[in-house]
Amino acid sequence: MAKNPVEFVREVRAEAGKVTWPTRRETTITTSMVFIFVVIAAVFFLVADKVIAFVVQTLLGIS
């Protein structure tokens, strides 16, 4: 069923008004935690890569 564009915009605005938006503090904390976990994951995969490379080089006798 096709709706009138004006009615559609009204409904979208009404639904957007029901959204609970995060506060600035919540957004800052969440963003900081994401960056911290990205750094932790990057360090973990760097170490894992170096360990695996060392093991493979040792097993294959590559200098």
Side-chain angles (χ1 to χ4, degrees):
M1 170 177 354
K3 288 191 174 189
N4 181 352
V6 176
E7 181 183 346
F8 175 75
V9 171
R10 274 193 221 125
E11 289 178 8
V12 168
R13 288 184 61 122
E15 288 298 319
K18 296 177 186 177
V19 174
T20 304
W21 298 102
T23 63
R24 179 177 297 271
R25 184 171 188 274
E26 290 171 335
T27 304
T28 303
I29 290 171
T30 305
T31 303
S32 300
M33 291 186 68
V34 167
F35 281 123
I36 289 168
F37 281 108
V38 165
V39 169
I40 290 170
V43 170
F44 170 78
F45 286 114
L46 174 69
V47 171
D49 181 56
K50 294 298 181 183
V51 168
I52 292 169
F54 175 76
V55 169
V56 168
Q57 287 175 353
T58 302
L59 290 175
L60 297 178
I62 302 171
S63 298

